[in-house]
Amino acid sequence: MSDELLEYYQKTRTISESICKTLSVDVLESQPIEFTSPPKWHLGHTSWFFEEFILRPYFKNYKPIDDFYQFAFNSYYKSQGEHCPRKERGQILRPTFSKVMEYRRFVDNHIFELLFNSENNDVKKNIILGLHHEQQHQELLLMDIKYILSKCFLNEVYQNKKSFFKSETFAHEYLCMEGGLFEIGANSKNKFYFDNEAPEFKYFQYPYLLATRPISNREYLAFINDGGYSNPLLWKSDGWDYIHSSKDFAPLYWEKKEGVWFEYTLNGYFPLELDAPVCHINYYEADAFAEWSGARLPTEFELELCYKSKYFSGPTYGFYESEKLHPIIKKTTNCFFGLTGNLWEWTNSAYSPYPGYQRPKGAFGEYNQKFMVNQIVLRGGSIVTPQSHFRPTYRNFFYPSQKWAFTGLRLAKDIK
Amino acid sequence: MSDELLEYYQKTRTISESICKTLSVDVLESQPIEFTSPPKWHLGHTSWFFEEFILRPYFKNYKPIDDFYQFAFNSYYKSQGEHCPRKERGQILRPTFSKVMEYRRFVDNHIFELLFNSENNDVKKNIILGLHHEQQHQELLLMDIKYILSKCFLNEVYQNKKSFFKSETFAHEYLCMEGGLFEIGANSKNKFYFDNEAPEFKYFQYPYLLATRPISNREYLAFINDGGYSNPLLWKSDGWDYIHSSKDFAPLYWEKKEGVWFEYTLNGYFPLELDAPVCHINYYEADAFAEWSGARLPTEFELELCYKSKYFSGPTYGFYESEKLHPIIKKTTNCFFGLTGNLWEWTNSAYSPYPGYQRPKGAFGEYNQKFMVNQIVLRGGSIVTPQSHFRPTYRNFFYPSQKWAFTGLRLAKDIK
Amino acid sequence: MSDELLEYYQKTRTISESICKTLSVDVLESQPIEFTSPPKWHLGHTSWFFEEFILRPYFKNYKPIDDFYQFAFNSYYKSQGEHCPRKERGQILRPTFSKVMEYRRFVDNHIFELLFNSENNDVKKNIILGLHHEQQHQELLLMDIKYILSKCFLNEVYQNKKSFFKSETFAHEYLCMEGGLFEIGANSKNKFYFDNEAPEFKYFQYPYLLATRPISNREYLAFINDGGYSNPLLWKSDGWDYIHSSKDFAPLYWEKKEGVWFEYTLNGYFPLELDAPVCHINYYEADAFAEWSGARLPTEFELELCYKSKYFSGPTYGFYESEKLHPIIKKTTNCFFGLTGNLWEWTNSAYSPYPGYQRPKGAFGEYNQKFMVNQIVLRGGSIVTPQSHFRPTYRNFFYPSQKWAFTGLRLAKDIK
Amino acid sequence: MSDELLEYYQKTRTISESICKTLSVDVLESQPIEFTSPPKWHLGHTSWFFEEFILRPYFKNYKPIDDFYQFAFNSYYKSQGEHCPRKERGQILRPTFSKVMEYRRFVDNHIFELLFNSENNDVKKNIILGLHHEQQHQELLLMDIKYILSKCFLNEVYQNKKSFFKSETFAHEYLCMEGGLFEIGANSKNKFYFDNEAPEFKYFQYPYLLATRPISNREYLAFINDGGYSNPLLWKSDGWDYIHSSKDFAPLYWEKKEGVWFEYTLNGYFPLELDAPVCHINYYEADAFAEWSGARLPTEFELELCYKSKYFSGPTYGFYESEKLHPIIKKTTNCFFGLTGNLWEWTNSAYSPYPGYQRPKGAFGEYNQKFMVNQIVLRGGSIVTPQSHFRPTYRNFFYPSQKWAFTGLRLAKDIK
């Protein structure tokens, strides 16, 4: 089997662990709220994925290191038997962290052996899927670590890279994008894509205006100071109810102290940087801001067409290349700044299947399809997203109230 | 002003009242659950709509009969001041029912006077909107009355028209629909449409198969008996969680007694009629059934294109024409049976704005737009829907867990 | 059978109905919150009590008017079969109010017939219990009607007797009560008592100080204005959590408008009368006030001993004698003002069985015993309590967070 | 200052740590449910108690090791400033466990220094209170550790002492206890007591019967098998509602597997030992069992009088003497078996202040008094209770639904 795959495997597995290497055991075990998972669990679950979908079916006479892991580290695959309820992941005290690391080595060694001895194409395909899966969890790890550290009462710092942090001031401008009948989605020329990115299909797009950069903290503050959170006419009905029942009137990680706004980042707790893009807002907030601006959120197709356009020459950031782990605004060669690699951008598209979508057979049918209701698509990719996930067709998705991902917004407008 | 409008006004207002005419005061006041409203409240609210949007702005020196009604009968228009919280509508004991009827006459008389004296085009437009609004509440009245009567412990009968009830047996077949670049949505040729039906826009549709009739109770029972509710692989993740937290394992109004399924209808409580279309299911159930069938739900566009196709010559039922108030399956001249006028059909389309959608200025901006998240579009129209609402472009919408509307499903398939 | 009993029966049944006679049907059916019941339901339930415990067992060949009533009007007697869940009492639309009145006449006629033809002592005893039960519901009726009217958005007035309302100013003083070994509870010399008042038992009481009048609105306002609700050290831990989770920072029916406190009463909505006793507070509030005052709540035994002492010559108010339906403070011949007949006074005694308590056999074992946990005893009797319930041994009980009864407090102190 | 106090201090502090010495870091940090605390937190909180109430007020120029600990390890003392909400104790990731151990040493060293240099009597009194407080937390530690280990999916064993486990069979008998006017509560002859045990007061007790041993698993199983959990007439109303809403139909830690009952203990997971006393039941269950038995629960006074009687010569177990950490029934020289040192016994007494009770001044007023509502007294002391807490006047208290303490029951009866 290919050296390239082996190298990809080793590199990916190593990155997950290096993300956790500075964390103490208490952080590794912590689950302060249902939607996060303990970092330890991510390290176990990503190994379970290889065990469950590659070693158990394809490794001859495979003997698991511990049968309990099948329950403990199954996230939500009902086809694979009982799984630990999401909110109880923090109660999985056994295996301990060092046992999880043993589990990772155990799985790795079996995967290596399998790679050397097997030319089965499904094995290779599933390993590649498993690596992309693990990369998604690398982003989740950084999201969850940030949330955990922020909630342990001491504004714990994940790393000390504050120096990387400095945005430039850009005017807020729109570029006119042309319309027509376009192809949306991934096709066989893509090296890799998830099932929810396919099939490629024809879509009629009207000409539209798209902002050349995301909205900044300065602009979002203007929205707040203009009473944005207390004007119901700007909000979707569910959004209005949500912010009032949750008393949630600012981006996550923002805090006002004696009249000054501060923001918690993985680099520590700092006064808000006004030129940086606003981050950690939910769909309701993004949508209300757009309404207030007299603009709208783009559709997921409008963003995809922009990535595929001549105006965009590729991503700039992402956590392989950058160590800052916080979005900034900085000059680039692209007409559209920060379109990928900076933060996820909320769209106005519900997460639905594409025309002709086929749910994968077997357990992988549970990977994406069963979440195709009640969620909203985000496009782009953030500062904590693995670089290789920056592709024009990638669809991220969250519930409209969620904001612990690195999420911001970019405005669009119709051409009348 | 036109006699036609006057006649439409009088007819519409009369129908709302005649729906309630057999109800005792306790039913008129009842709100057993937050999502229903007391029938009395619907009668007040539909009058408030005329008062608020026509009499207050356009009737010179208008003196309201009671200022409290502005609070009591405002549904959700934040632009119009404080409103009674939805779940407390049942606590509006004043005005009593007879006072509400006085209010209706008071509003009617002022509207008549305005119609005679004014040629203002906005007045006319708002009256027409108010009448369509009242027609929507006629359907809500029948939905809510059914729910109220079903919950008062005695299977109260709304009317006695059981004789109208008799479905015929049809084979379940698919017709092939052609693809291409089509126009979706309403345009200026439409006599009336809501803002969410516009603007007309180009949409590329792939060829598809659409079932010629909705799913029957017999078929839905087969799904139940095959363990449909206990197989997680058929369900969206949220749907699986919903049915388990709510212990909701059958259509609304179904009850199993000593091995036999019964169904509560507005005509009383009867053994389930197997050939009738399944009714009162939510999106999750419709979607799980489709999954179980190896098919899928159609998109809202696929249904609209079918209504606009040569295979469909118009609606057959609806509560002006039919007194049975319960969906049936019966021979028609349409290739597609019961496509409108029988029950609302769940689609796989999230309720989102169309490309180029413009939210109306002012209070009417709250009519539809603020609900464009978390809800699912239904198409068709039911046995309790006013006839004039059966138009190809009409978009109904509910949350995916709701099922007290007259909702069923029709299957679609891709052509591979 | 005795004319006296017949007269008592007729008078009692009439009073329940006369309490409701000015109410419109919507009020009679209303249940805005789980802990209240629709007035109609009280009228049905008190008749059910006679039917269930007298007519069904003792009236030969008794044929109920409607078997459904056995379910609908059973409050909580599990021994008597299924009952309507408390929170769904407002959904009992059938029988209508007029049917309930027919039910009352039907039950009355059967009771009369039984009284004329039977000398069974159990019949007589159960009728007397049924009448005391109905009298308890007369107070509940007035409590519930007040709550319902207050929540229907319009400060509906139950009656117009504002003129009766005028308190006098009294100094707040303590009288010294002697100690010793006393008898507590009811004995066979009592004409009637509930099982929870027995048996009489010996109790050693230390000398104590008891306030000669209840706490006034003026004093309670001082507590509020002194930050009583924001000082955790005054509150029981559960009380502090309760007021903060419920945001409940004043007596029920109090409202502050533009700096002035108003109070809703059955006579309408008025500025707070400062010399009237504070009413509609819960145990947590009474206890916190006592703490703030450097005093304590009395035990139920301390109040009982006071009623039985030379310092007290009998009740003064109660709704047979007074039409004001709101507590006042006025000169009386008793040393202890308003000790009964004015408002219920919170004690510091948990509601527990007396030493040697025997739960009645059969269904009446459910009357009181199963509530002997988590509740607090109140003593005295209020302005809406039937006069004959003012006896020294009567024990009322509510959960410590409840306050829709007419509840106030009187301070006590230890003698050091 | 006395060597005795120093020795008591050192011994007590050491025991808390030795209870935790076999636990891995993940267990030390775990809080699977609000009512438990992470073991690490107990170790910190017991040190905070000494710091807050002794070092800060009495140690001249005391410099805390970390000001954050004042927030983190304050349990509920509102008088001492803001405290970490109970349910968020598991989120206190900093200080780590080793930092908590440093904190313990830091506090210890300062206490030693203070002890050598001060003759202040309040210092001595507060240290003694702090040690009794720490001993209470030793029991909480073992309760919480048991709960945590039971919830980590693997029936983790705390220790391996199964061999200690063996009950003997005893007949269930009653002894007649005499009545009279007795003294209840602690007086100045007691070496130590908590404020809620005082003052001593006169109480008239009627003669009663008290069972010579607690109820066994065999007897509790008979209650279950007789349908005890499905007969509402045995339950208090709140108890019936509680078991049905929580679906809690057996003692905590019991599990039925293929028809056989198992019990989780700190020594592992074993088939239920039938002659052992039933443990981990709540008040509702204890009370329903008593009802089913035709008996009742004793009052707290009846148990206290028994401890003080000639029939009882002292405790037998408790975790200093025993390593088994699970209650048993074994021959003793006492007439009343297992009356203390085995398990806590539910009484029928609400947790209320004694006549003449004085809440301590200052912060210690929060120690016990603010919990004197809604809770039930337990008497005795369990296998995980420090030996010195076995005194006749000790009052433990929990909410009637709680059962993670080592709780059982002993029956009593009236003499008619």
Side-chain angles (χ1 to χ4, degrees), chain A residues 380-394:
Chain A
S382 83
I383 202 76
V384 297
T385 308
Q387 185 87 347
S388 66
H389 284 204
F390 299 143
R391 57 181 175 269
T393 58
Y394 193 99

Side-chain angles (χ1 to χ4, degrees), chain C residues 44-77:
Chain C
H45 166 66
T46 47
S47 302
W48 168 90
F49 195 94
F50 289 106
E51 180 178 69
E52 191 68 21
F53 299 124
I54 296 152
L55 300 181
R56 285 185 191 262
Y58 299 108
F59 192 105
K60 211 174 164 189
N61 298 323
Y62 178 69
K63 288 230 162 47
I65 195 168
D66 191 328
D67 279 330
F68 171 64
Y69 297 1
Q70 196 167 26
F71 166 85
F73 294 127
N74 180 356
S75 51
Y76 55 65
Y77 290 83

Side-chain angles (χ1 to χ4, degrees), chain D residues 41-103:
Chain D
W41 186 88
H42 286 293
L43 295 176
H45 166 66
T46 47
S47 302
W48 168 90
F49 195 95
F50 288 107
E51 180 177 69
E52 190 70 20
F53 298 122
I54 296 149
L55 300 181
R56 285 184 191 261
Y58 300 107
F59 192 105
K60 213 176 162 189
N61 298 325
Y62 178 69
K63 288 229 163 48
I65 194 168
D66 191 328
D67 279 330
F68 171 64
Y69 299 180
Q70 196 168 25
F71 166 84
F73 294 128
N74 180 355
S75 51
Y76 55 67
Y77 290 83
K78 313 284 188 190
S79 57
Q80 310 307 104
E82 290 288 305
H83 64 85
C84 174
R86 184 176 187 109
K87 70 176 176 205
E88 293 174 21
R89 290 176 185 169
Q91 284 168 235
I92 302 170
L93 305 185
R94 301 290 171 276
T96 57
F97 176 66
S98 62
K99 286 283 179 191
V100 170
M101 294 306 286
E102 272 181 40
Y103 179 41

Side-chain angles (χ1 to χ4, degrees), chain D residues 70-356:
Chain D
Q70 196 168 25
F71 166 84
F73 294 128
N74 180 355
S75 51
Y76 55 67
Y77 290 83
K78 313 284 188 190
S79 57
Q80 310 307 104
E82 290 288 305
H83 64 85
C84 174
R86 184 176 187 109
K87 70 176 176 205
E88 293 174 21
R89 290 176 185 169
Q91 284 168 235
I92 302 170
L93 305 185
R94 301 290 171 276
T96 57
F97 176 66
S98 62
K99 286 283 179 191
V100 170
M101 294 306 286
E102 272 181 40
Y103 179 41
R104 290 182 69 85
R105 292 297 77 79
F106 180 86
V107 165
D108 288 351
N109 291 336
H110 283 78
I111 290 287
F112 296 153
E113 197 178 326
L114 190 65
L115 277 176
F116 282 111
N117 297 325
S118 160
E119 285 299 326
N120 184 322
N121 215 40
D122 283 347
V123 166
K124 197 179 152 192
K125 266 175 55 188
N126 287 0
I127 288 179
I128 289 171
L129 182 62
L131 292 171
H132 281 271
H133 171 260
E134 180 141 356
Q135 287 181 302
Q136 292 185 312
H137 278 274
Q138 287 163 5
E139 175 155 2
L140 283 164
L141 269 168
L142 286 160
M143 286 161 58
D144 289 357
I145 290 166
K146 183 170 182 178
Y147 193 88
I148 292 166
L149 294 178
S150 82
K151 287 293 171 192
C152 75
F153 301 108
L154 279 177
N155 295 317
E156 187 81 5
V157 172
Y158 174 69
Q159 62 172 19
N160 250 311
K161 308 272 175 162
K162 160 76 179 139
S163 51
F164 284 87
F165 243 91
K166 188 66 202 150
S167 292
E168 296 168 9
T169 312
F170 281 76
H172 188 271
E173 293 170 336
Y174 289 94
L175 208 67
C176 179
M177 303 295 295
E178 63 200 300
L181 193 63
F182 292 102
E183 301 285 337
I184 295 288
N187 61 30
S188 57
K189 279 174 278 178
N190 280 62
K191 217 171 136 186
F192 176 85
Y193 55 86
F194 286 111
D195 60 271
N196 61 6
E197 303 170 50
E200 199 179 41
F201 68 99
K202 284 191 169 42
Y203 175 79
F204 188 86
Q205 173 66 49
Y206 289 84
Y208 61 107
L209 300 174
L210 189 68
T212 54
R213 67 157 172 80
I215 290 303
S216 69
N217 285 330
R218 187 189 306 279
E219 287 150 350
Y220 200 81
L221 260 185
F223 165 72
I224 293 181
N225 293 334
D226 191 43
Y229 281 92
S230 49
N231 179 359
L233 302 181
L234 302 174
W235 296 77
K236 291 281 184 288
S237 182
D238 286 355
W240 181 253
D241 293 347
Y242 176 78
I243 61 169
H244 281 87
S245 71
S246 63
K247 311 283 173 215
D248 182 11
F249 300 127
L252 185 60
Y253 301 126
W254 284 33
E255 198 182 357
K256 201 174 191 173
K257 278 197 179 165
E258 295 165 20
V260 182
W261 282 100
F262 285 77
E263 183 175 20
Y264 174 72
T265 76
L266 284 166
N267 299 278
Y269 188 73
F270 300 112
L272 196 63
E273 199 195 356
L274 293 177
D275 286 325
V278 64
C279 192
H280 295 299
I281 55 173
N282 64 27
Y283 167 81
Y284 297 128
E285 290 167 311
D287 180 69
F289 180 91
E291 195 70 41
W292 175 78
S293 306
R296 61 170 173 81
L297 297 178
T299 65
E300 62 166 322
F301 309 128
E302 288 167 343
L303 287 179
E304 178 167 332
L305 292 173
C306 181
Y307 306 144
K308 291 171 163 176
S309 76
K310 62 187 174 194
Y311 304 115
F312 185 67
S313 57
T316 25
Y317 299 104
F319 84 83
Y320 288 170
E321 280 63 46
S322 158
E323 288 180 310
K324 59 187 169 314
L325 302 186
H326 199 74
I328 57 168
I329 292 192
K330 240 179 137 120
K331 272 212 179 60
T332 62
T333 55
N334 293 315
C335 292
F336 286 97
F337 165 75
L339 201 54
T340 62
N342 202 40
L343 36 67
W344 291 100
E345 299 182 357
W346 284 107
T347 74
N348 201 22
S349 301
Y351 180 45
S352 300
Y354 285 170

Side-chain angles (χ1 to χ4, degrees), chain B residues 233-301:
Chain B
L233 302 180
L234 301 175
W235 295 78
K236 289 285 184 286
S237 182
D238 286 354
W240 181 253
D241 293 347
Y242 176 79
I243 61 168
H244 281 87
S245 71
S246 63
K247 310 284 175 214
D248 183 11
F249 300 127
L252 183 61
Y253 302 125
W254 284 32
E255 198 183 356
K256 202 176 190 172
K257 279 196 178 165
E258 296 166 19
V260 182
W261 282 101
F262 284 76
E263 183 175 20
Y264 175 72
T265 75
L266 284 167
N267 299 279
Y269 188 73
F270 300 112
L272 197 63
E273 198 196 357
L274 294 177
D275 286 325
V278 65
C279 191
H280 295 298
I281 56 173
N282 65 27
Y283 168 79
Y284 297 128
E285 290 167 310
D287 181 68
F289 181 92
E291 195 72 38
W292 175 77
S293 307
R296 62 169 174 82
L297 297 178
T299 65
E300 61 167 322
F301 309 128

Side-chain angles (χ1 to χ4, degrees), chain C residues 138-253:
Chain C
Q138 287 162 5
E139 175 155 3
L140 283 164
L141 269 168
L142 285 160
M143 287 160 57
D144 290 358
I145 289 166
K146 182 170 182 180
Y147 193 87
I148 292 165
L149 294 178
S150 82
K151 287 292 170 191
C152 75
F153 302 107
L154 279 176
N155 296 315
E156 187 82 5
V157 172
Y158 174 69
Q159 62 174 19
N160 251 311
K161 309 271 174 162
K162 162 75 178 137
S163 49
F164 286 86
F165 242 91
K166 189 65 201 152
S167 291
E168 297 168 8
T169 312
F170 280 77
H172 187 271
E173 294 169 336
Y174 289 94
L175 208 66
C176 178
M177 303 295 296
E178 62 199 301
L181 194 61
F182 292 102
E183 302 284 337
I184 296 288
N187 61 29
S188 57
K189 278 175 279 177
N190 280 64
K191 217 170 136 187
F192 176 85
Y193 55 85
F194 286 111
D195 59 272
N196 61 7
E197 302 171 50
E200 200 179 41
F201 68 100
K202 286 191 167 38
Y203 175 79
F204 189 86
Q205 174 66 49
Y206 288 85
Y208 61 106
L209 299 175
L210 190 67
T212 54
R213 66 158 171 81
I215 291 303
S216 69
N217 285 330
R218 187 188 307 277
E219 287 150 351
Y220 201 82
L221 260 184
F223 165 73
I224 293 180
N225 293 334
D226 191 43
Y229 282 91
S230 50
N231 179 359
L233 303 180
L234 301 175
W235 295 79
K236 292 282 185 287
S237 182
D238 287 354
W240 181 253
D241 293 347
Y242 176 80
I243 61 168
H244 282 87
S245 70
S246 63
K247 311 282 174 217
D248 182 12
F249 300 128
L252 184 60
Y253 301 126

